[in-house]
């Protein structure tokens, strides 16, 4: 089990004040990592920090906009100067906007691209520049089953998650030779705040349960094993891979 031990390692998780980001932060902390939570909302970050600290985890916060180049560079520099090297990065910052494609607002498209793609590029680049001289590092991008599949009303979101899948492969191609492993997790349909409207929709939930071989929604705690695996020495020769945690939905018609 020492392969999965993260003791002595520091993990930065973007979009970590709630939902999947918070669940992954808790999982990595439970495996021994000290975690740094990032988001834009300071109050939510502080609430998340208090909740994890109450479970005896080592946790700090770093409030900055992951889609702002200047804020990213300053934020990453401040973390490494104040706390030490970032060993693990989880690019989780993301958003959703549902609308028919033919009337999809341009400003919403731009926000989706900035939050879902730009943030992973900017934070990944800033962290990798520091990992490369050290010859080691783990980067985990949070993709989606929408990296492979589309649904009505979310074509731009699907485009961003497809791009993130390929950015993951590109990062691995460029940075593996420097000792970095860059992979992704592709969650299926999980009960999160982002999916609250869908969870509350009885017709959608019934459809999803029939469509998913496992026959149910996922619980965010079920992402813990994938996150620990990709953050640990257990995945030392895994690179450019998207690990789908989806109850089988991408495997079945």
């Amino acid at each position: 089990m020492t392969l999965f031990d993260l003791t002595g390692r520091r993990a930065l998780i973007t979009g970590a004040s709630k939902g999947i980001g918070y669940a992954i932060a808790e999982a990595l902390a439970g495996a021994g990592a000290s975690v740094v939570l990032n988001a834009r909302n300071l109050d939510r970050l502080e609430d998340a920090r208090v909740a994890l600290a109450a479970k005896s985890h080592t946790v700090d916060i770093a409030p900055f906009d992951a889609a702002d180049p200047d804020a990213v560079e300053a934020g990453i520099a401040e973390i490494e100067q104040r706390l030490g090297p970032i060993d693990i990065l989880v690019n989780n910052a993301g958003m959703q906007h549902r609308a028919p494609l033919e009337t999809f607002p341009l400003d919403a498209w731009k926000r989706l691209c900035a939050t879902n793609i730009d943030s992973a590029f900017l934070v990944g680049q800033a962290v990798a520049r520091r990992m490369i001289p050290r010859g080691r590092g783990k980067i985990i991008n949070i993709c989606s089953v929408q990296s492979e599949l589309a649904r009505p009303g979310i074509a731009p979101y699907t485009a961003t998650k497809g791009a993130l899948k390929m950015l993951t492969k590109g990062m691995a191609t460029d940075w593996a030779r420097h000792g970095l492993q860059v992979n992704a997790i592709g969650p299926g349909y999980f009960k999160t705040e982002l999916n609250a409207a869908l969870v509350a929709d009885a017709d959608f939930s019934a459809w999803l349960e029939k469509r998913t071989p496992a026959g149910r929604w996922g619980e965010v705690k079920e992402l813990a094993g994938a996150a620990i695996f990709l953050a640990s020495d257990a995945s030392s020769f895994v690179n450019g891979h998207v690990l789908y945690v989806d109850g089988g939905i991408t495997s079945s018609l």
Side-chain angles (χ1 to χ4, degrees):
M1 295 303 293
T2 57
L3 280 174
F4 299 92
D5 185 9
L6 301 179
T7 301
R9 302 186 193 184
R10 182 170 293 101
L12 169 64
I13 304 95
T14 68
S17 61
K18 59 185 178 180
I20 286 174
Y22 179 86
I24 288 176
E26 185 172 19
L28 299 184
S34 59
V35 297
V36 183
L37 312 179
N38 161 263
R40 290 177 295 183
N41 189 304
L42 180 58
D43 291 337
R44 283 187 173 182
L45 271 183
E46 182 58 24
D47 289 345
R49 186 198 67 78
V50 169
L52 288 178
K55 299 178 181 179
S56 300
H57 296 313
T58 302
V59 54
D60 288 273
I61 60 173
F64 61 83
D65 184 349
D68 180 317
D70 293 336
V72 167
E73 180 56 35
I76 299 305
E78 193 272 339
I79 292 169
E80 294 230 343
Q81 181 178 21
R82 177 169 59 93
L83 301 174
I86 296 169
D87 304 294
I88 303 158
L89 167 64
V90 181
N91 280 314
N92 172 71
M95 65 170 291
Q96 175 65 287
H97 185 100
R98 295 179 175 89
L101 182 57
E102 64 272 18
T103 58
F104 202 91
L106 179 59
D107 61 339
W109 165 268
K110 291 180 177 179
R111 285 197 305 273
L112 275 172
C113 290
T115 304
N116 296 357
I117 306 173
D118 292 359
S119 66
F121 168 77
L122 292 169
V123 181
Q125 187 182 63
V127 171
R129 279 198 295 261
R130 293 161 170 86
M131 288 177 167
I132 287 169
R134 298 192 286 260
R136 58 184 171 80
K138 299 279 189 171
I139 297 177
I140 303 169
N141 296 325
I142 302 304
C143 289
S144 168
V145 292
Q146 264 71 54
S147 297
E148 302 290 344
L149 305 172
R151 286 195 64 253
I154 60 167
Y157 178 83
T158 300
T160 64
K161 290 300 184 178
L164 187 57
K165 176 184 76 170
M166 296 311 299
L167 180 60
T168 301
K169 293 178 181 292
M171 286 176 165
T173 300
D174 277 16
W175 296 336
R177 66 180 180 273
H178 299 295
L180 279 60
Q181 286 89 53
V182 186
N183 295 288
I185 297 172
Y189 284 86
F190 281 76
K191 292 181 180 178
T192 65
E193 187 173 312
L194 195 67
N195 284 331
L198 297 180
V199 175
D201 185 330
D203 289 339
F204 182 86
S205 285
W207 171 84
L208 178 67
E209 288 164 6
K210 288 182 66 176
R211 173 69 178 80
T212 304
R216 61 178 176 85
W217 286 85
E219 302 287 344
V220 290
K221 65 183 180 181
E222 293 176 294
L223 294 167
I228 293 168
F229 167 65
L230 292 177
S232 70
D233 290 342
S235 58
S236 61
F237 201 56
V238 180
N239 237 323
H241 178 70
V242 182
L243 175 52
Y244 289 100
V245 185
D246 64 358
I249 198 168
T250 55
S251 299
S252 174
L253 289 174

